[in-house]
Amino acid sequence: MTVRVLLADDQTLVREAFAMLVESARDMEVVGQAATGRQAVELARAARPDLVVMDIRMPDLDGIEATRLIAADEDLAQVRVLVLTTYDSDENIVDALRAGASGFLVKDTRPAELLDAIRTVAAGESLLSPGPTARLIERFLRSPSAPETGGPECLSGREREVLALVGRGLNNTEIADALGLSPLTAKTHVSRIMGKLAARDRAQLVIVAYESGMVTPGSVGEWGRP
């Protein structure tokens, strides 16, 4: 399956470089390029990409607000946003997640890691740049504007186990291996948990896992994995 990618960055050279990189992958194609946040929203509605690689600092409408508009559009419910920026700050990470982004990377990420990140987020996983993961979660949970989700009390024992592993950054295959399940069963558990907790994607499940105390910042290593 080909991942359809929309690129949003106000720097033409950066967009073109990203486009060449994405097009070099056999399982990806670029379906549009936007120079402003408003263009990104318009192209997302027109092209219906699987994923938007979104810069934060753009004219007309910044990447945070563009992400918020895409995430709030019911017709774009399947579109994921991977925020890519040179600004590795708590404020930007928190704002990006709050707006509905499913992933966050800084621009000094290696090309192969960016392609892997696109695949990960397009597949419905959440992904955060190494380093600030624990810090941003703590900051996010102290923010009064964090998204409201249900609590884990409504989950079964097995679902709570799965949620804890999602919170530690494990994907469905890794969850299956850890709990002795099939990958399909693990995926089913994750889908049911998202439904019960009214979570838009796995990034919000991570927030619930931290908020409930299932996962603590000290238990998470690079790339969110123990």
Side-chain angles (χ1 to χ4, degrees), residues 147-185:
E148 294 184 2
T149 61
E153 297 80 12
C154 63
L155 304 179
S156 68
R158 175 62 83 184
E159 288 169 342
R160 289 172 64 86
E161 291 178 329
V162 172
L163 176 59
L165 294 177
V166 171
R168 295 174 68 180
L170 275 65
N171 60 34
N172 291 341
T173 299
E174 292 167 334
I175 291 172
D177 291 342
L179 298 179
L181 307 172
S182 70
L184 179 58
T185 299

Side-chain angles (χ1 to χ4, degrees), residues 105-122:
L105 285 176
V106 291
K107 282 185 177 178
D108 62 359
T109 298
R110 291 178 296 179
E113 291 177 343
L114 174 58
L115 294 179
D116 285 342
I118 290 174
R119 295 184 182 99
T120 296
V121 175

Side-chain angles (χ1 to χ4, degrees), residues 36-37 54-59 61-69 81 83 96 99:
T36 71
M54 184 80 74
D55 187 28
I56 288 183
R57 303 297 178 92
M58 290 188 291
L61 191 71
D62 66 30
I64 299 297
E65 186 60 29
T67 297
R68 184 175 291 110
L69 291 176
V81 177
V83 171

Side-chain angles (χ1 to χ4, degrees), residues 18 45 58-59 80 101 112 124-125 128-129 132 135 149 163 178 183 186 207:
F18 287 162
R45 290 169 175 163
M58 290 188 291
R80 300 300 181 195
E125 305 282 345
L128 305 172
S129 190
R135 180 176 81 226
T149 61
L163 176 59
I207 300 302

